[in-house]
Amino acid sequence: MYDDVSHLRDFYASPLGQLARRIITHRVRARWDNLSGLDVVGLGYAAPYLRAFDGEARTTAALMPYRQGAVQWPSEGPFRAALVSETALPMRDKSVDCMLVVHGLEHVDARHDYLREIWRVLMPRGRLILVAPNRRGAWARFESTPFGHGRPYSLRQIEDLLRDALFEPVGVTPCLFAPPFRARHLPFAATAWERVGARLWPAFAGVLIVEAVKMAYAEVRVSVKKRAFASMPALNGLSPAHRRPGDGRKPRSPAFRGDSTGD
């Protein structure tokens, strides 16, 4: 079951959410340090992390599942967000360079179909990053954050799912070692928590950032025709409050690193 998009939005507006976003963004950027001229698509609720690629990537777009709901993104300028079916993305085969999935995998039931749909739209050797709660970490045990909802995973489970969907895992970065409390002094100690945690107890990270590459030699033909990927139009009539499915409107479509911790 997906979190409601309003809860996700409120979390990332809070001090704890801003701290989590900064830490995870830093780790994602350590793995994807240069995406110049590439298309980057976020799936789930990845919008807070896509800002890091503005001015570098050729295109950024946020795809938000029906069961979650959507918000306008970005808040200014042309909107590049859309409501989608998680297993029928409105993009052509082999049309996306990089896919960033946040608050996604832990909420889906048809995990194989979900990953295979991502595989379909990625270019040969396209890159995928999954950000998922670690089942051993403290963040998966507190429902006060979005990482405490859905199904947490071990690294072994994620890697098995990826290989089964014809991806090759190429590296993992554990992060969020600080406890998920709204403590006043937590932001000042977060850097120390990350350094010490990555060195002494990486298995107990709150979140796992797993990078994988599409296995191009496993190409198969897809008989179902999909619409071409294009710039995302605005979600007509969508206010800063989210729009949920069933409101009577149809959504409109719109350097690879192998280190283990990536400090």
Side-chain angles (χ1 to χ4, degrees):
M1 181 87 180
Y2 278 94
D3 276 339
D4 187 277
V5 73
S6 63
H7 298 158
L8 293 163
R9 180 191 58 199
D10 292 346
F11 170 73
Y12 281 106
S14 71
L16 184 62
Q18 292 173 20
L19 175 64
R21 178 187 58 79
R22 287 196 299 271
I23 293 172
I24 294 173
T25 297
H26 176 71
R27 298 304 189 181
V28 169
R29 286 298 278 164
R31 303 204 70 87
W32 286 355
D33 58 353
N34 183 8
L35 298 184
S36 179
L38 301 180
D39 295 323
V40 182
V41 173
L43 181 60
Y45 194 74
Y49 302 94
L50 292 174
R51 303 180 210 165
F53 305 107
D54 285 347
E56 178 181 325
R58 179 173 58 186
T59 303
T60 54
L63 304 182
M64 304 186 190
Y66 287 118
R67 292 186 293 157
Q68 169 191 283
V71 293
Q72 289 184 343
W73 182 82
S75 57
E76 298 179 356
F79 297 132
R80 303 190 302 277
L83 283 168
V84 300
S85 169
E86 62 202 16
T87 55
L89 301 179
M91 289 174 286
R92 189 167 46 197
D93 300 354
K94 298 179 285 188
S95 59
V96 177
D97 298 296
C98 301
M99 183 81 76
L100 175 64
V101 179
V102 188
H103 304 301
L105 182 66
E106 61 266 37
H107 298 295
V108 298
D109 297 320
R111 294 169 294 170
H112 180 77
D113 294 342
Y114 181 77
L115 291 172
R116 286 292 288 156
E117 181 66 0
I118 294 172
W119 185 95
R120 179 187 67 78
V121 303
L122 279 173
M123 298 282 286
R125 301 296 295 173
R127 287 171 284 178
L128 166 67
I129 280 184
L130 294 174
V131 178
N134 178 18
R135 66 184 302 178
R136 292 187 177 184
W139 288 69
R141 305 176 191 277
F142 289 83
E143 294 187 355
S144 56
T145 84
F147 297 106
H149 298 185
R151 174 178 176 171
Y153 290 91
S154 68
L155 176 59
R156 174 72 176 272
Q157 288 173 323
I158 295 176
E159 290 179 335
D160 287 347
L161 287 170
L162 287 167
R163 291 192 177 99
D164 189 50
L166 304 181
F167 285 96
E168 179 60 35
V170 296
V172 57
T173 302
C175 68
L176 291 191
F177 292 95
F181 303 142
R182 303 176 188 273
R184 178 181 301 177
H185 302 294
L186 183 60
F188 302 100
T191 300
W193 275 97
E194 292 302 304
R195 289 178 178 171
V196 174
R199 182 175 304 168
L200 299 182
W201 53 83
F204 297 98
V207 166
L208 298 173
I209 299 173
V210 184
E211 183 180 8
V213 173
K214 175 177 176 176
M215 296 165 63
Y217 59 80
E219 285 284 348
V220 295
R221 286 187 171 273
V222 179
S223 58
V224 180
K225 293 183 178 180
K226 300 285 183 179
R227 287 174 290 180
F229 173 63
S231 298
M232 297 279 179
L235 296 175
N236 291 340
L238 186 66
S239 67
H242 65 288
R243 172 154 58 89
R244 302 284 296 178
D247 64 358
R249 291 178 146 153
K250 295 182 179 179
R252 298 176 60 190
S253 301
F256 159 65
R257 300 171 69 92
D259 53 296
S260 58
T261 58
D263 199 348

